[in-house]
């Protein structure tokens, strides 16, 4: 059974001291309903993608489903760290394919900044294996930094190439009104920022943020009735990898991303060369370079060269993160997966404005959870 | 008596492999070995995930402490509890007997570029901040 995205909504990402988590969810949900020209009666269920430990409110789906008006329809949470709403999408997609529901709202929502900085820093210390690693003060940037160190050693990837990813994503973020940072940066500025975890500096890291993004998906029959511009889900690959980077084969690839992309390519019958536009999980600049390679956009080790040659800009071989990526949009972890889907749908509908990749027919979203413990790769076609 | 002494901050006081800290206090670095399928684990784990043998098949194996540096980073923005330690350099080591270990690199060169991947290193048990039990990576 074919399943399509029929409605999209995207709230403003950033520090949202003006809103609760359910209010953030409502913003994007209302936009998605209007986009699909549906009412809540048309929607059979909501799946909430979010990381619960950031919220004071416990059991998030309860408060979100109520506030967006989805009672008494079924709701529940999916959690896969930074890929939580891709897990929600895959679950909703499976529900529809199984015939359980016809139309489902996938609500990615997160409010990270209601925690104080000390609370956030305490959480940051527990992103890896807390038994064997956190006692040494490991951090999120630190893990990706160790990937970067190894990638630079093995392939000659340079610090400049890392910074070039930041420059590109801020270049496009400046054109995205929903992005947290809408300002271009120079290579000089990106290179000279203060160090966070060597070799990654502040501009190599994305920012914690608040925000929401919602997509409404439907089975083929309903989708064709709802819209003239359905965007078909051709495949959603998913995979996992060891919690600890110690137990991974190497530190030059995110294994779950390789597996998930193989899965998605197989389901869709498409190949890397068929992808016209992609959003990848650039929580850190090195992560985008790893994604190029894990997804097969270039050979292993050639990711640095791909950005240096500007092949991931519009007009290049494969435009990547032309919405600004996590880097410029900000990274409200639970909302990031659906945010990627929103951008792919806009691109495939031809509604991306000055960020439009002309003639885009196939889009790919690569959403990594944690340090690659989870990965979802979704392929869309107009 | 337990795992709570391990790490500058300990988040997991209880585990089936808490004897690890007793050995560490004796200056020994031990991992686990499965008698049934010969799998070697570091960090140690109580259960063999390769052959799913009964827990009784798992024995402690003393490691030489020798290994090679796989990668590293120097942390400048620290999480809660590590603020006074920055900057500190964390390394990952491929251990001679198998498995890997993550720990601080003791006295890393001032210029990080001089820290080469693949070099031989030694792991040594250590007590810091009066009573916290850890191991460190020493550059030979």
């Amino acid at each position: 059974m074919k399943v399509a995205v029929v409605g999209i909504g995207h709230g403003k990402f950033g520090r949202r001291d003006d809103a609760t988590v359910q209010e953030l969810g409502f913003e994007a949900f209302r936009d998605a309903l209007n986009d699909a020209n549906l009412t809540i009666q048309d929607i059979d269920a909501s799946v909430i993608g979010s990381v619960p430990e950031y919220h004071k409110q416990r059991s998030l789906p309860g408060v979100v489903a109520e506030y967006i008006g989805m009672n008494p329809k079924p709701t529940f949470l999916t959690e896969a760290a930074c890929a939580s709403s891709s897990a929600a999408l895959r679950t909703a997609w499976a529900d529809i394919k199984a015939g359980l529901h016809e139309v489902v709202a996938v609500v990615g929502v997160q409010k990270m900044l209601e925690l104080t900085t000390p609370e956030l820093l305490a959480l940051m210390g527990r992103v890896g294996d807390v038994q064997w690693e956190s006692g040494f003060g490991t951090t999120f940037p630190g893990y990706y930094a160790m990937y970067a160190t190894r990638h630079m050693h093995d392939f000659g990837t340079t610090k400049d190439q890392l910074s070039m990813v930041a420059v590109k994503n801020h270049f496009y973020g400046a054109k995205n009104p929903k992005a947290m940072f809408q300002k271009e940066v120079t290579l000089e500025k990106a290179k000279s920022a203060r160090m966070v975890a060597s070799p990654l500096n502040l501009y190599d890291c994305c920012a914690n943020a608040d925000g929401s993004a919602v997509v409404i998906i439907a089975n083929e029959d309903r989708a064709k009735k709802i819209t003239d511009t359905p965007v078909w889900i051709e495949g959603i690959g998913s995979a996992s990898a060891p919690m600890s980077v110690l137990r991974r084969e190497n530190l030059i690839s995110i294994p779950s991303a390789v597996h998930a992309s193989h899965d998605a390519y197989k389901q869709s019958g498409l190949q890397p060369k068929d992808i016209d536009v992609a959003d990848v999980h650039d929580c850190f600049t090195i992560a985008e370079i790893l994604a190029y390679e894990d997804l097969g956009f270039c050979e292993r080790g050639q990711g640095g060269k791909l950005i240096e040659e500007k092949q991931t800009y519009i007009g290049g071989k494969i435009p990547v993160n032309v919405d600004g990526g996590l880097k410029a949009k900000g990274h409200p972890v639970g909302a990031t997966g659906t945010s990627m889907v929103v951008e792919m749908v806009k691109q495939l509908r031809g509604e991306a404005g000055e960020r439009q990749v002309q003639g885009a027919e196939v889009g790919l979203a690569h959403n990594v959870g944690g340090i690659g413990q989870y990965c979802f790769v979704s392929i869309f076609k107009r | 008596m337990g795992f709570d002494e391990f790490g500058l901050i300990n988040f997991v006081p209880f585990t089936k492999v808490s004897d690890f800290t007793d050995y560490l206090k004796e200056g020994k670095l031990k991992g686990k070995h499965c008698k049934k399928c010969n799998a070697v684990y570091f960090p140690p784990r109580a259960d063999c995930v390769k052959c799913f043998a009964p827990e009784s098949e798992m024995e402690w194996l003393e490691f030489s402490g020798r290994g090679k540096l796989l990668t590293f980073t120097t942390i400048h923005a620290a999480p809660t509890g590590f603020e006074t330690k920055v900057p500190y350099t964390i390394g990952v080591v491929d251990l001679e007997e198998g498995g890997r270990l993550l720990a601080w690199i003791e006295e890393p060169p001032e210029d990080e570029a001089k820290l080469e991947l693949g070099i031989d290193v030694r792991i040594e048990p250590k007590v810091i901040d009066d009573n916290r039990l850890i191991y460190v990576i020493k550059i030979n």
Side-chain angles (χ1 to χ4, degrees), chain A residues 225-274:
Chain A
K225 286 177 187 147
I226 292 167
T227 178
D228 295 332
T229 55
V231 168
W232 302 102
I233 300 172
E234 297 293 317
I236 306 180
S238 175
S240 63
M243 188 72 200
S244 170
V245 299
L246 298 181
R247 298 186 283 275
R248 296 183 187 172
E249 193 181 333
N250 60 53
L251 283 170
I252 51 168
S253 165
I254 303 289
S256 58
V258 173
H259 289 123
S261 64
H262 285 170
D263 203 3
Y265 289 135
K266 195 175 166 195
Q267 289 172 23
S268 64
L270 295 163
Q271 297 171 36
K273 66 173 175 52
D274 299 318

Side-chain angles (χ1 to χ4, degrees), chain A residues 59-301:
Chain A
S59 200
L60 201 64
V63 73
V64 172
E66 179 198 338
Y67 195 81
I68 68 172
M70 280 300 296
N71 293 147
K73 305 287 180 63
T75 191
F76 58 92
L77 180 79
T78 56
E79 199 270 345
C82 319
S84 290
S85 56
S86 287
L89 178 72
R90 193 167 193 261
T91 306
W93 174 70
D95 281 357
I96 292 175
K97 285 174 91 74
L100 188 63
H101 300 305
E102 295 186 346
V103 183
V104 180
V106 181
V107 180
V109 65
Q110 196 79 54
K111 193 157 163 57
M112 301 174 82
L113 302 175
E114 73 183 24
L115 294 188
T116 60
T117 301
E119 285 172 324
L120 281 170
L121 289 173
L123 271 187
M124 185 171 82
R126 294 191 279 123
V127 300
D129 177 332
V130 298
Q131 186 175 4
W132 297 102
E133 298 171 7
S134 302
F136 292 96
T138 52
T139 64
F140 220 129
Y143 284 109
Y144 270 100
M146 291 194 285
Y147 267 93
T149 300
R150 190 72 215 188
H151 202 273
M152 291 163 89
H153 172 269
D154 286 9
F155 303 116
T157 305
T158 65
K159 185 74 197 67
D160 275 19
Q161 289 170 341
L162 297 179
S163 296
M164 285 170 193
V165 172
V167 170
K168 171 179 70 69
N169 293 355
H170 280 288
F171 173 77
Y172 288 116
K175 304 176 196 307
N176 183 350
K178 302 296 169 118
M180 184 172 193
F181 306 110
Q182 298 172 33
K183 211 172 151 199
E184 293 182 28
V185 296
T186 61
L187 184 60
E188 258 339 285
K189 189 174 178 188
K191 272 167 62 176
S192 56
R194 72 179 164 82
M195 201 57 88
V196 172
S198 67
L200 304 181
N201 70 32
L202 193 62
Y203 270 97
D204 291 305
C205 308
C206 70
N208 293 332
D210 307 324
S212 68
V214 172
V215 299
I216 298 171
I217 64 174
N219 68 21
E220 183 171 11
D221 186 42
R222 291 290 296 277
K224 284 179 174 166
K225 286 177 187 147
I226 292 167
T227 178
D228 295 332
T229 55
V231 168
W232 302 102
I233 300 172
E234 297 293 317
I236 306 180
S238 175
S240 63
M243 188 72 200
S244 170
V245 299
L246 298 181
R247 298 186 283 275
R248 296 183 187 172
E249 193 181 333
N250 60 53
L251 283 170
I252 51 168
S253 165
I254 303 289
S256 58
V258 173
H259 289 123
S261 64
H262 285 170
D263 203 3
Y265 289 135
K266 195 175 166 195
Q267 289 172 23
S268 64
L270 295 163
Q271 297 171 36
K273 66 173 175 52
D274 299 318
I275 310 299
D276 298 315
V277 58
D279 255 24
V280 308
H281 198 90
D282 61 322
C283 46
F284 300 95
T285 51
I286 182 64
E288 179 162 325
I289 287 174
L290 295 175
Y292 297 160
E293 301 172 10
D294 291 338
L295 293 167
F297 294 165
C298 64
E299 296 290 314
R300 177 72 51 205

